[in-house]
Amino acid sequence: MSNPSSFTDKIKETKHSLKMISVLLALFLWFFVLKSQSVSLKENLEISYLLPSGYSLAEVPVDEIRVHLEGKRVNLRRSDIRKSKVKINIPADRKEKFTYRAELNVKDLPQPSGVVIKEFYPKNINLVLEKTMKRKVKVSPTFAGELGDNTSLNSFKISPSEILISGARGLVEDINYLKTKSINLGNIELDEKDIEIDLEIPPLIRIEELVASKVQVSLDIGSSNLVTQEIVVPIKYIYSGELIAKPRVTEVMVSVSYILDRIDENRDLSKIDVYADLTNVDYKKKNSYRLIVEKPKNIKIIKIEPEYISVEK
């Protein structure tokens, strides 16, 4: 005779198994229904222009087409849609420069199986093409910031110093040189000699000779002959009418620094002027005025003592 408790356990195990099967079946049906649902999706498709031999684009064209797609969820995977490209084949023309109007149809767009294109924009694209021209241009570095104290950029060398570019004739003829991206001198160390930097490539211009759009800039950075000194400069007063009360301070001490080989000491130091603008002075009360300094380009003002003067009747 069977044990009643063993029989009850078997029934419980059977019920548990049936519940698990029901849950799995429900998940399968939910997944199947979800995949079978019709969904709508808007996405941008990249355009690939197939140009005739010997021609280049002369104006920046539309680079994407906006499409409205509809289909089953399983067929509308964004990752697959974004990989699709719209190819526009442009026929040859004998003219030096011409305009081509591409009129697009639904059949010109990539259409995955089971997907319907409901709408797309733009439907017409105007393209300007011109004969391709090749030309060698010089490379010019772009510097920003300043080197640290007691250092100077003695010279630099770019490799390659010239680069072969190509593109529409009108665009290439307007380019005399290519700039590099900005080189921040403030981040350069004294022992850092060679820097690899990207080029700034104008739109629709191609680089013919480089695998990557980079050049090597070699810097000659050395210690500079930095001079710091203090000089006495008389104050020049600017005023209208009669100056009723002259300030007691008539001259100031100016601390300056400069690189010795970049200025003429006798000439440039004498060109440092200090002004006090008293055109709006009010003699009924005590006035404090900040002094104005004018100096040659290669001289740096470190400090003025005093920086302000007071005027009162």
Side-chain angles (χ1 to χ4, degrees):
M1 186 175 179
S2 61
N3 191 337
S5 61
S6 176
F7 180 73
T8 304
D9 291 339
K10 288 182 179 180
I11 292 176
K12 287 181 179 181
E13 288 177 4
T14 304
K15 287 182 177 181
H16 180 72
S17 299
L18 289 173
K19 285 181 180 180
M20 290 296 298
I21 293 172
S22 298
V23 170
L24 292 173
L25 182 60
L27 286 173
F28 173 77
L29 291 173
W30 173 80
F31 185 76
F32 178 78
V33 170
L34 187 66
K35 287 290 186 181
S36 302
Q37 281 183 337
S38 181
V39 294
S40 179
L41 175 67
K42 291 183 179 179
E43 191 58 81
N44 293 329
L45 300 183
E46 184 182 346
I47 301 176
S48 175
Y49 294 104
L50 306 178
L51 306 181
S53 177
Y55 283 88
S56 298
L57 290 167
E59 294 181 6
V60 178
V62 176
D63 59 357
E64 289 181 332
I65 289 180
R66 184 73 169 173
V67 293
H68 181 191
L69 307 171
E70 195 174 273
K72 293 182 179 180
R73 188 183 297 274
V74 68
N75 297 324
L76 278 178
R77 286 189 287 266
R78 280 187 181 271
S79 57
D80 294 338
I81 298 297
R82 287 173 179 169
K83 292 178 184 177
S84 303
K85 288 187 178 182
V86 180
K87 294 183 179 180
I88 298 180
N89 193 8
I90 305 169
D93 196 294
R94 295 183 179 180
K95 296 178 182 177
E96 179 76 18
K97 187 175 183 178
F98 68 95
T99 300
Y100 176 76
R101 182 179 176 86
E103 298 179 352
L104 302 178
N105 198 291
V106 172
K107 61 181 178 59
D108 298 319
L109 307 182
Q111 194 168 349
S113 177
V115 175
V116 177
I117 298 176
K118 302 293 289 183
E119 189 60 69
F120 69 92
Y121 179 83
K123 291 182 170 57
N124 300 312
I125 300 174
N126 290 325
L127 302 167
V128 180
L129 289 90
E130 191 176 14
K131 285 283 184 69
T132 298
M133 176 183 180
K134 292 185 178 182
R135 178 188 177 193
K136 277 203 169 187
V137 295
K138 293 185 178 298
V139 179
S140 176
T142 302
F143 295 113
E146 296 182 357
L147 290 168
D149 293 339
N150 302 321
T151 57
S152 63
L153 179 60
N154 299 326
S155 63
F156 61 84
K157 184 179 179 181
I158 302 178
S159 179
S161 60
E162 290 185 334
I163 289 179
L164 182 65
I165 63 172
S166 68
R169 178 180 295 276
L171 298 179
V172 172
E173 286 179 340
D174 287 340
I175 298 175
N176 296 316
Y177 60 89
L178 289 181
K179 291 183 178 181
T180 66
K181 290 192 174 179
S182 182
I183 301 172
N184 190 345
L185 294 177
N187 297 332
I188 302 297
E189 300 296 335
L190 188 61
D191 59 350
E192 190 172 2
K193 303 297 182 183
D194 299 315
I195 298 172
E196 191 176 58
I197 191 76
D198 290 312
L199 290 167
E200 293 280 6
I201 310 298
L204 304 180
I205 296 298
R206 296 181 296 277
I207 303 298
E208 293 291 333
E209 297 176 327
L210 298 179
V211 176
S213 301
K214 295 178 181 288
V215 293
Q216 194 85 10
V217 181
S218 300
L219 305 176
D220 179 11
I221 300 174
S223 298
S224 60
N225 192 0
L226 185 69
V227 176
T228 302
Q229 67 169 302
E230 293 181 337
I231 58 175
V232 176
V233 181
I235 301 174
K236 296 180 180 180
Y237 295 101
I238 304 172
Y239 55 91
S240 58
E242 182 183 357
L243 187 62
I244 298 175
K246 289 186 178 180
R248 293 179 182 178
V249 180
T250 59
E251 58 187 23
V252 293
M253 185 70 72
V254 180
S255 299
V256 300
S257 65
Y258 51 88
I259 297 173
L260 191 59
D261 57 357
R262 292 189 182 179
I263 73 164
D264 182 325
E265 286 186 290
N266 293 329
R267 180 194 65 197
D268 292 336
L269 291 179
S270 64
K271 290 183 178 181
I272 297 176
D273 292 317
V274 177
Y275 296 93
D277 188 354
L278 307 180
T279 52
N280 297 317
V281 65
D282 184 357
Y283 293 107
K284 295 180 181 180
K285 59 182 180 180
K286 187 176 181 179
N287 300 273
S288 182
Y289 294 91
R290 185 169 187 170
L291 297 173
I292 303 167
V293 181
E294 290 186 357
K295 61 176 184 63
K297 180 180 178 182
N298 291 322
I299 295 177
K300 181 179 180 181
I301 303 298
I302 301 173
K303 185 180 179 182
I304 306 171
E305 186 64 38
E307 191 175 356
Y308 293 85
I309 60 168
S310 297
V311 179
E312 58 183 331
K313 188 173 179 181

